[in-house]
Amino acid sequence: MNAPALAPKSFQARSVSLASRYGGRTVVAIGAHPDDLELAVGGTLARLARESARVVMAVVSIPADFETRKAEALRAAQILGCELRILVESGCCRIDDMKNYQLVGLLDTLVRELQPAAVFTHSANEFHRDHIAVHNACHSTQRLKSFDLFHFSPTMTRAVPVTFHPRAYIDVSTTIELKMQAIEAHLSQFAGRGLDSEMYRDLARLNGRMVGVKYAEGLDVSRMLLA
Ligand SMILES: [Zn+2]
């Protein structure tokens, strides 16, 4: 019997750091409303900002209480170390009232200006029609530029069962407290309504268990260049 071929030096899985992938580059997170991004990827965005990426949190529109919710979103973005853009700045606006070409046009303008290396946005598995509309519009913007495209878990203030299976995980053990603070900055959505945000800590803990870290955020991967 011939001697067995030498095994590769290591089969051990190696994770690639966010810093090495996106450090010094621009990453854009696109959410339908204020608080969506903090709920879904607050820990990831804080990590990216810490690791020298330019992180832009783009909120498509504010449906009500414009000044209050804008101020809350600004505070949350500051906590995470990110820039904030409200794409419809003229006042309250519902995405449901926009034409599809208008929504795609807003995102096209953003992508043309920022030339992101990666985009994080809603998945198709959502219960909120606005979130699905933003998901579809983000897919349309891919024709302008090749960027990594990730989808995040459904976001809500009260728990609603929606199927979502992460395919990638970001370790947010070092930024979970920033995420929770950023969520709590949205007083009108949580404490102001007698709601707490602990289900998002619970979800991060559960996602962390899936990959052997204390806290993680789960993503679906739509497109990613492995160089
Ligand atoms: Zn929303």
Side-chain angles (χ1 to χ4, degrees):
M1 184 177 159
N2 293 334
L6 287 175
K9 277 188 178 173
S10 173
F11 278 125
Q12 198 174 23
R14 273 199 319 159
S15 55
V16 177
S17 75
L18 285 176
S20 65
R21 187 165 184 86
Y22 300 117
R25 305 172 79 190
T26 299
V27 170
V28 179
I30 303 174
H33 314 113
D35 80 11
D36 286 325
L37 298 174
E38 295 84 337
L39 295 172
V41 283
T44 298
L45 301 183
R47 269 203 63 194
L48 285 162
R50 271 187 184 174
E51 295 175 14
S52 74
R54 179 188 181 191
V55 185
V56 177
M57 297 172 68
V59 172
V60 174
S61 77
I62 299 178
D65 299 329
F66 189 88
E67 293 303 332
T68 297
R69 298 207 64 189
K70 182 178 177 183
E72 291 172 350
L74 269 172
R75 175 77 189 119
Q78 284 169 356
I79 290 168
L80 299 176
C82 303
E83 298 174 36
L84 177 73
R85 299 278 184 98
I86 306 292
L87 301 188
V88 179
E89 283 194 297
S90 54
C92 291
C93 168
R94 288 191 176 278
I95 293 172
D96 218 18
D97 292 332
M98 297 170 71
K99 299 283 190 192
N100 187 56
Y101 77 86
Q102 293 172 313
L103 178 55
V104 173
L106 282 174
L107 301 191
D108 280 357
T109 301
L110 191 71
V111 166
R112 281 200 184 94
E113 178 200 334
L114 297 175
Q115 295 290 306
V119 170
F120 296 79
T121 194
H122 300 278
S123 81
N125 292 63
E126 275 280 0
F127 74 102
H128 199 309
R129 285 166 55 100
D130 285 358
H131 296 182
I132 296 169
V134 172
H135 166 86
N136 290 333
C138 282
H139 267 268
S140 299
T141 63
Q142 291 183 97
R143 75 195 188 287
L144 300 180
K145 182 186 186 307
S146 177
F147 47 75
D148 292 346
L149 180 58
F150 301 103
H151 302 302
F152 46 66
S153 58
T155 53
M156 57 201 76
T157 50
R158 292 182 175 86
V160 177
V162 184
T163 303
F164 180 78
H165 296 298
R167 291 182 168 87
Y169 295 85
I170 308 293
D171 182 352
V172 298
S173 303
T174 58
T175 53
I176 185 70
E177 298 308 330
L178 290 177
K179 173 191 177 90
M180 298 310 297
Q181 288 170 26
I183 293 172
E184 285 149 21
H186 292 274
L187 278 172
S188 67
Q189 304 304 297
F190 288 94
R193 296 202 281 178
L195 301 175
D196 73 46
S197 52
E198 282 301 303
M199 72 168 162
Y200 284 94
R201 187 189 294 276
D202 296 341
L203 181 60
R205 191 179 286 119
L206 178 63
N207 279 327
R209 284 189 182 275
M210 298 293 175
V211 288
V213 302
K214 192 167 183 187
Y215 292 104
E217 289 171 338
L219 299 169
D220 196 0
V221 181
S222 182
R223 180 172 64 175
M224 186 176 187
L225 172 64
L226 296 174

